[in-house]
Amino acid sequence: MSELETPAVAAARAAGIDFTVTRHGRVGSLEEAAAARGVEPRDLIKTLVVRRATDEHLLVLVGGDRRFSWPKLRAELGTNRLSMPDAAEAQRVTGYERGTITPFGTVRPLEVVADANIAGRTISLGAGAHGAGLTVAADDVVRLFGARLADISDTA
C-alpha cells in the first residue's frame, strides 16, 4: 500500500515528532478501528469540532471509551454558549470530513482542549483520510498544540 499523504501527515512530519500511520480501510465500529490500529479503544481519540461563537471554533479530544461532556467543557471555558457545527461547517473550518478530523494540518490553527485522561499515553487520531490514523504520544500532541488538559468527559 502506498504511503498516505494528507495535510495531517505532512504536519506531523514537519513537527518532527515520532508517529506512525496506519491504513486499514473502512471499519464498522470504534472497536474495529482501535484493533486495526493496534490500540485499545480508550486510546482511539475522537476529535470533535465545537463552535464557541460565529466563526470561532475549537477542537476537543476525547478517548474512545469516554463520552464528551458539554457541561464540563462549558465550565472549563467559562461560557454557556457552545454548539456543534454541521458537517459542512466542520469541514470548512478544519479542511477534513467528519471521521477524519485531526488537529494536525487544519486549515488554520485551532484551540485544542484535550480530556485529561489522554495524558501520558500513546494515542491514535485521525490522519485526514477515512480508514487511516496517526499514532502518536499524547504528550507530544498536547505540547505541539498548546492543548488545555481538562476533565471534559464522562464514562461511556
Side-chain angles (χ1 to χ4, degrees):
M1 195 175 285
S2 64
E3 181 64 28
L4 178 69
E5 190 58 43
T6 65
V9 173
R13 187 177 303 111
I17 61 168
D18 288 334
F19 69 94
T20 57
V21 175
T22 305
R23 295 182 74 177
H24 52 73
R26 298 245 182 199
V27 291
S29 69
L30 182 134
E31 291 76 16
E32 285 181 29
R37 295 182 193 184
V39 299
E40 295 295 319
R42 72 186 201 117
D43 296 322
L44 186 70
I45 304 303
K46 299 174 278 194
T47 303
L48 308 168
V49 180
V50 173
R51 182 187 316 109
R52 187 187 324 226
T54 302
D55 212 32
E56 185 181 345
H57 300 80
L58 61 123
L59 297 176
V60 174
L61 308 180
V62 178
D65 67 336
R66 309 283 299 175
R67 188 180 61 233
F68 165 63
S69 169
W70 284 104
K72 288 181 178 181
L73 183 62
R74 286 182 179 109
E76 178 64 30
L77 297 176
T79 184
N80 287 324
R81 306 196 98 198
L82 295 172
S83 61
M84 190 79 67
D86 66 20
E89 184 177 347
Q91 185 168 3
R92 179 182 58 78
V93 168
T94 65
Y96 301 115
E97 291 180 39
R98 279 199 181 147
T100 71
I101 296 172
T102 176
F104 288 95
T106 55
V107 174
R108 64 177 187 248
L110 296 168
E111 178 182 354
V112 176
V113 178
D115 191 65
N117 289 306
I118 75 166
R121 299 194 345 236
T122 298
I123 59 172
S124 185
L125 300 156
H130 288 287
L134 287 175
T135 302
V136 298
D139 294 346
D140 283 346
V141 174
V142 170
R143 179 182 48 78
L144 279 171
F145 297 103
R148 182 188 310 202
L149 281 174
D151 174 14
I152 57 167
S153 71
D154 296 311
T155 54

